[in-house]
């Protein structure tokens, strides 16, 4: 056997494990089980479920000290399952079948106790439910926007935040009763108030959403500037070329029509055609002129419309700039102004909390000093009383004459 034996890389070991795994899964459904045990773990067979779980648990074992006992236990379990599987329902169960039923009932009792404990005491169970990050009902917001409402003249008023529920009175403080002054912290340009660690899950969720949204908007602005803006400028250049071609085409048509009319008038004078013929040719010429005039008017209208769009700056580039880039940048700017206003409100709250904390600390020091002075006065007065008592209880050893004279 090699010194560094890795079972997962040995083909013979893999074939043996897979053969044992398939044999156990094929033999598990053949063991008859009561109805309450057959459906206790869901639609799958409980024995097959436990086999899969055991193989999944031991999948990362590479030490022969752990692999050999696991394979030995698997082969023993295979013999027990074969012994417990009965060909007909009338066959009496043997000891192996009884041991399997007893084992499954014990596991089922443990599973039900764990699920019951998880339902009643989720934080104290072995598999506690993860705490929810959703906002708790009945909680008051820390910051409230007290700015003037939006109007037509000022659709985006500058936000102003206040903290109506903070700072709290000293009587409302829990725990030790001492006020904890928060500190202002930044999380990717978003101001937050930090008191203790770990950070609440609700705060982490909100910060993650805000940061992802801001990053997506910033990337969108970059994509519009780098990718969409060159395409829009290319479309504008193409429209300019088309407008120039239409104007040039119209000018050529007008020049051709002018030369054609001069030639026709000269030929009519020289040949001296009849009046009827001249009238018919005139009607045809007028019809041709009208048709060419309609096409020319259409081309001139298109060229003028394109030129008007360029003069009014109603182009692809301008549309993308106003309704894309400037819009997103405006949203980012308003969001930054809102965060600055929130940070100002948080700083004012920190200053108020610090002032109250200093005032309460001075009050506690004064109260402690007063208690100490009262205790000292009580001690001095008690000492004087004790001295007087001892003086009165001391026997008088002076002569009788002095005592009488006294």
């Amino acid at each position: 056997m090699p010194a560094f034996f890795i079972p997962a890389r040995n083909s013979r070991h893999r074939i043996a494990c897979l053969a044992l795994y398939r044999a156990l899964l094929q033999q598990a459904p053949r063991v008859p089980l009561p109805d309450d045990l057959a459906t206790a773990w869901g639609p799958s067979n409980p024995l097959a479920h436990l086999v899969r779980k055991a193989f999944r648990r031991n999948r990362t074992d590479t030490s022969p000290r752990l692999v050999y006992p696991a394979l030995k236990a698997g082969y023993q379990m295979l013999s027990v399952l074969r012994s417990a599987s009965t060909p007909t329902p009338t066959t009496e169960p043997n000891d192996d079948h009884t041991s399997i039923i007893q084992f499954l009932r014990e596991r089922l009792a443990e599973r039900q106790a764990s699920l019951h404990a998880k339902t009643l005491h989720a934080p104290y169970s072995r598999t506690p439910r993860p705490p929810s990050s959703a906002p708790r009902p009945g909680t008051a917001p820390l910051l409230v926007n007290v700015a003037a409402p939006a109007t037509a003249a000022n659709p985006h008023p500058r936000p102003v935040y206040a903290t109506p529920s903070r700072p709290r009175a000293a009587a409302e403080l829990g725990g030790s009763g001492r006020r904890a002054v928060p500190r202002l912290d930044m999380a990717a340009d978003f101001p937050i108030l930090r008191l203790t660690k770990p950070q609440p899950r609700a705060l982490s969720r909100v910060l993650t959403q805000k940061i992802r949204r801001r990053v997506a908007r910033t990337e969108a602005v970059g994509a519009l500037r780098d990718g969409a803006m060159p395409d829009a400028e290319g479309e504008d250049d193409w429209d300019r070329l088309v407008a120039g071609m239409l104007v040039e085409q119209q000018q050529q048509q007008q020049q051709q029509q002018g030369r054609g009319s001069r030639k026709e008038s000269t030929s009519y004078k020289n040949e001296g055609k009849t009046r009827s013929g001249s009238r018919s040719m005139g009607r045809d010429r007028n019809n041709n002129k009208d048709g060419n005039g309609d096409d020319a008017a259409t081309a001139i209208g298109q060229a003028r419309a394109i030129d008007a769009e360029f003069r009014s700056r109603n182009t692809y580039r301008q549309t993308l700039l106003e309704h894309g880039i400037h819009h997103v940048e405006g949203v980012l700017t308003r969001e930054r102004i809102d965060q600055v206003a929130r940070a100002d409100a948080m700083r004012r709250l920190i200053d108020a909390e610090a002032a109250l904390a200093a005032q309460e600390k001075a009050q506690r020091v004064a109260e402690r000093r007063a208690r100490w002075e009262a205790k000292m006065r009580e001690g001095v007065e008690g000492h004087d009383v004790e001295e007087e008592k001892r003086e009165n209880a001391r026997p008088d050893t002076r002569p009788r004459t002095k005592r009488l004279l006294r």
Side-chain angles (χ1 to χ4, degrees), residues 183-205:
R183 61 186 181 89
L184 185 62
D185 202 351
M186 300 293 293
D189 297 338
F190 289 96
I192 59 174
L193 286 179
R194 191 178 297 280
L195 285 172
T196 57
K197 294 182 179 181
Q199 183 172 288
R201 294 176 63 89
L203 180 59
S204 301
R205 174 180 58 83

Side-chain angles (χ1 to χ4, degrees), residues 1 3-8 13 58-71:
M1 179 177 177
F4 298 98
F5 175 71
I6 301 177
H13 173 78
N58 299 333
R59 183 177 55 184
T60 57
D61 293 343
T62 57
S63 174
R65 183 179 60 86
L66 300 176
V67 172
Y68 290 160
L71 290 176

Side-chain angles (χ1 to χ4, degrees), residues 54-98:
F55 271 83
R56 194 180 303 115
R57 182 178 61 251
N58 299 333
R59 183 177 55 184
T60 57
D61 293 343
T62 57
S63 174
R65 183 179 60 86
L66 300 176
V67 172
Y68 290 160
L71 290 176
K72 183 179 179 180
Y75 288 120
Q76 291 178 354
M77 189 63 192
L78 180 61
S79 62
V80 170
L81 292 178
R82 288 175 178 173
S83 176
S85 59
T86 54
T88 58
T90 58
T91 307
E92 296 182 359
N94 50 21
D95 296 338
D96 294 333
H97 185 271
T98 304

Side-chain angles (χ1 to χ4, degrees), residues 168-184:
R168 291 180 177 178
E172 299 178 1
L173 298 177
S176 62
R178 296 192 176 186
R179 188 179 302 275
V181 180
R183 61 186 181 89
L184 185 62

